[in-house]
Amino acid sequence: EAGVVQSPRYKIIEKKQPVAFWCNPISGHNTLYWYLQNLGQGPELLIRYENEEAVDDSQLPKDRFSAERLKGVDSTLKIQPAELGDSAVYLCASRATSSTGELFFGEGSRLTVL
Amino acid sequence: TQLLEQSPQFLSIQEGENLTVYCNSSSVFSSLQWYRQEPGEGPVLLVTVVTGGEVKKLKKLTFQFGDARKDSSLHITAAQPGDTGLYLCAGPFTSGTYKYIFGTGTRLKVLA
C-alpha cells in the first residue's frame, strides 16, 4: 500500500513569491492534516479536513495561506505571498476513519524563502 | 501555544545508557501517542496509551501514561545509535476529536 505522498520535497523561492504544496493521502483515509514544522520542534497543526470539509483551520494564517481538498482526496496548501518566516517543513498526514487515531505522515515539503 | 511540553529538549548520551523523555500538560488527554521522526522523514507512530496508569513495553522502549492522564514518559533501555531521532508526543486537543496536537519534541543523539 502506498503511503502519503507529498511534492515537491524541496522548494526555494524569493520572498513575496507564491508556492504550492501537494499531498496525496493513503487511499481510503478520510482525514487529512497539514502541519508546519520548524527545525527540531514539534509539528504545529495548520488545518484538518474530514473528507472535503475543513473542520479545524483556526491556526491557518488566512491572509496568506489557503488550502483545498477537492473531492475529498488530494489536497493543496498554498502560500501567497511567502515571507522569510514561512521557511519550514510542511507535513501532510492522513488517518483512517475507523482507526485508533494513528496518523500516517508524508516525507514533508521543505520550503526555503530567501 | 503548545499544550504538550516535552523535556528534555535535547539529549546526547553514550551508547548503552538509559534515558527517559517526559511529556507534560496541564490538560487531561483521553489518549497520548508517541512518535519518532528521523531527519528528512515524517513522524512514525511508536505507541498509543489510553488508560491512566497504563504501562506499555515495545522491545526496549517503555511507555507510561500518568494516572491523571496529564503526562506520559518514554524510557529507553541501553540506547543504541539507531535510536537517534526526534521523539514527539501527541494527543487529541479535545477529547473525542481527531484534532491532534504535538509536543515540543525531544531530540535524542546516541553516540557510538
Side-chain angles (χ1 to χ4, degrees):
Chain A
E1 180 181 89
V4 177
V5 179
Q6 291 187 246
S7 69
R9 285 294 312 276
Y10 305 93
K11 189 72 175 181
I12 301 174
I13 61 172
E14 299 281 337
K15 64 181 180 181
K16 298 184 182 180
Q17 293 299 305
V19 64
F21 305 111
W22 174 80
C23 173
N24 179 235
I26 293 174
S27 178
H29 282 196
N30 297 332
T31 309
L32 185 146
Y33 304 79
W34 282 102
Y35 287 90
L36 176 155
Q37 185 176 33
N38 289 304
L39 187 64
Q41 299 181 24
E44 299 174 33
L45 180 65
L46 290 173
I47 191 168
R48 174 171 71 104
Y49 283 93
E50 292 292 344
N51 297 304
E52 66 273 11
E53 181 183 1
V55 294
D56 285 306
D57 64 354
S58 59
Q59 299 290 90
L60 190 73
K62 298 182 181 65
D63 57 335
R64 297 184 301 106
F65 285 64
S66 64
E68 61 181 11
R69 191 183 185 198
L70 300 176
K71 300 181 180 179
V73 181
D74 294 0
S75 179
T76 303
L77 177 69
K78 297 178 181 178
I79 308 174
Q80 182 171 10
E83 297 179 352
L84 295 176
D86 296 331
S87 295
V89 174
Y90 292 84
L91 291 167
C92 179
S94 69
R95 183 190 66 84
T97 303
S98 58
S99 80
T100 56
E102 179 176 3
L103 272 61
F104 293 85
F105 283 85
E107 294 179 311
S109 294
R110 179 177 294 278
L111 173 65
T112 300
V113 183
L114 303 176
Chain B
T1 304
Q2 290 278 17
L3 298 182
L4 290 169
E5 294 288 335
Q6 290 185 233
S7 61
Q9 186 175 5
F10 181 78
L11 191 56
S12 180
I13 61 172
Q14 293 293 324
E15 180 177 7
E17 292 185 10
N18 302 331
L19 67 117
T20 302
V21 176
Y22 299 93
C23 174
N24 293 287
S25 176
S26 58
S27 303
V28 174
F29 281 80
S30 57
S31 64
L32 278 178
Q33 300 175 329
W34 284 93
Y35 289 78
R36 177 169 170 262
Q37 184 179 21
E38 296 191 48
E41 299 182 9
V44 176
L45 181 69
L46 295 173
V47 79
T48 301
V49 287
V50 179
T51 306
E54 179 178 6
V55 176
K56 277 192 175 179
K57 292 190 176 183
L58 185 65
K59 296 183 180 179
K60 61 180 180 177
L61 306 181
T62 301
F63 304 86
Q64 186 163 6
F65 200 10
D67 291 340
R69 292 187 283 125
K70 291 184 177 182
D71 58 271
S72 181
S73 64
L74 157 60
H75 181 81
I76 302 179
T77 303
Q80 299 295 313
D83 295 319
T84 293
L86 181 66
Y87 288 82
L88 299 160
C89 61
F93 180 73
T94 304
S95 180
T97 75
Y98 290 102
K99 180 180 179 179
Y100 278 82
I101 60 171
F102 281 77
T104 49
T106 294
R107 182 169 294 281
L108 171 66
K109 187 170 185 178
V110 183
L111 304 171

